[in-house]
Amino acid sequence: MRIADIKKQNLELKKQNAELKKELDMAEGQLKAFESLIAQKDARISELAKQQTELSTAILSQSMELKNAYKKLEKREGFFSRLW
């Protein structure tokens, strides 16, 4: 091979390398954006799980309060029915 051919091939390889570097940089940017999106979704899922736990606790508490109130009401009805 002649020196001119080697220089031409070297120049072509440098161009290809530059193009590949651009593609790699773009892919890395997309990967970082995707990772950030996943982190945001994970945080949202955690927040929703926390809210679900809080709502479940509140529902259970209200259910117990209603159950107790119903028991008291039944006792009162029993008391009043005996008076009649």
Side-chain angles (χ1 to χ4, degrees):
M1 249 195 216
R2 296 182 340 188
I3 293 178
D5 291 337
I6 293 171
K7 285 183 178 182
K8 184 178 178 182
Q9 187 179 14
N10 189 31
L11 183 62
E12 185 61 34
L13 289 172
K14 284 182 180 180
K15 287 179 183 177
Q16 288 176 3
N17 190 28
E19 289 174 11
L20 290 172
K21 173 102 173 76
K22 286 179 186 177
E23 289 178 23
L24 178 61
D25 290 345
M26 188 169 45
E28 287 175 342
Q30 290 173 342
L31 178 60
K32 286 180 182 178
F34 187 66
E35 288 172 339
S36 174
L37 185 60
I38 289 172
Q40 290 173 5
K41 294 294 180 185
D42 286 346
R44 181 68 177 139
I45 288 169
S46 295
E47 180 62 29
L48 289 173
K50 179 182 172 187
Q51 289 177 3
Q52 181 182 12
T53 301
E54 291 171 354
L55 286 172
S56 294
T57 301
I59 290 169
L60 181 60
S61 175
Q62 288 178 354
S63 175
M64 294 302 292
E65 288 177 17
L66 286 171
K67 184 178 178 182
N68 291 335
Y70 183 74
K71 285 180 181 179
K72 288 179 183 178
L73 183 61
E74 283 182 327
K75 287 179 183 178
R76 286 183 188 162
E77 286 178 352
F79 174 76
F80 285 117
S81 67
R82 281 185 265 146
L83 290 176
W84 293 111

